[in-house]
Amino acid sequence: MERFTITVFCGSSPGSDPIYARAARAVGEAIGRAGMDLVYGGGHVGLMGTVADGALQAGAHVTGVIPRALQAREDAHHEISELVLVDTMHERKTIMADRADAFLALPGGPGTLEELTEQWTWAQLGIHEKPVGVLNIAGYFDPLLAFVANMRDRGFTHPRYTDMLVVASEPDEALGRLRDYVPPVRSEVSPGAEMTGALSIPLRP
């Protein structure tokens, strides 16, 4: 039986509060304790390095994927189980997505936000049916979750798609909910077209 693999998106910065690094290490340790494996961005700095170190120490197989151009800037982690060097960010994201059974975002910057929303969008469109979640440490993702609710309330996405996001505040809770995730029943049309029909606005040819 193949091991369940979590792809973690997170910052190459540790953030301004030590709570983020503590949570990142706890996530890595929880992945190892649960018999899961980790795929992440390959760096040895910030939350990326912390989650990788926690997972390694707990016995997880840790795969890092990093563009050659970022090896020095993100201090590529050469002590992990597998370091995959690629030429572009697109290759990095493709490998991280292909190897994942689930995605979990920890606090991070624009890159983390882009990776999270891309995988959530792909799940909405049915490109994959893998769970996508956030670890909402100290309310870090509260503004994003409020914005997501605003999208729903203003008719730009169906509640079934906002409800797809797994939101947890503790590592073990997040991993358990990602592992047990069941994708929603889908409409035959795209999420946007579905909302257009719900609002009784005719579709353009």
Side-chain angles (χ1 to χ4, degrees):
M1 181 177 179
E2 292 187 5
R3 288 163 65 101
F4 194 86
T5 298
I6 304 285
T7 285
V8 170
F9 305 131
C10 60
S12 56
S13 165
S16 59
D17 189 324
I19 193 172
Y20 302 127
R22 290 197 297 269
R25 180 169 292 278
V27 167
E29 292 171 349
I31 288 171
R33 282 198 313 271
M36 299 177 179
D37 292 326
L38 170 69
V39 173
Y40 83 113
H44 203 179
V45 294
L47 300 190
M48 286 202 298
T50 302
V51 72
D53 288 341
L56 280 171
Q57 290 175 10
H61 184 280
V62 177
T63 300
V65 187
I66 192 167
R68 291 178 174 84
L70 294 182
Q71 283 186 79
R73 291 170 62 187
E74 293 186 353
D75 187 17
H77 200 322
H78 294 283
E79 298 173 9
I80 56 177
S81 313
E82 179 184 8
L83 181 65
V84 181
L85 299 178
V86 296
D87 292 323
T88 68
M89 290 292 288
H90 291 295
E91 289 178 272
R92 181 194 219 181
K93 293 194 297 179
T94 297
I95 292 172
M96 292 175 71
D98 287 347
R99 295 197 181 192
D101 294 303
F103 305 92
L104 180 64
L106 309 186
T112 299
L113 179 62
E114 187 258 349
E115 291 167 324
L116 167 64
T117 54
E118 179 177 63
Q119 294 306 327
W120 178 43
T121 300
W122 287 10
Q124 290 182 63
L125 294 173
I127 294 172
H128 66 69
E129 293 197 327
K130 301 174 183 180
V132 181
V134 299
L135 188 68
N136 195 21
I137 301 163
Y140 183 81
F141 285 105
D142 284 353
L144 174 64
L145 297 173
F147 183 65
V148 168
N150 189 51
M151 292 178 190
R152 176 200 64 210
D153 295 345
R154 292 178 183 249
F156 283 97
T157 190
H158 194 283
R160 76 165 61 88
Y161 300 121
T162 55
D163 291 347
M164 290 172 74
L165 275 177
V166 173
V167 181
S169 58
E170 297 294 334
D172 289 329
E173 176 195 8
L175 298 183
R177 292 182 61 193
L178 291 170
R179 184 188 54 230
D180 298 338
Y181 172 83
V182 177
V185 175
R186 303 184 178 282
S187 168
E188 293 183 359
V189 298
S190 73
E194 181 179 7
M195 291 310 298
T196 300
L199 295 170
S200 299
I201 299 173
L203 290 172
R204 294 188 178 184

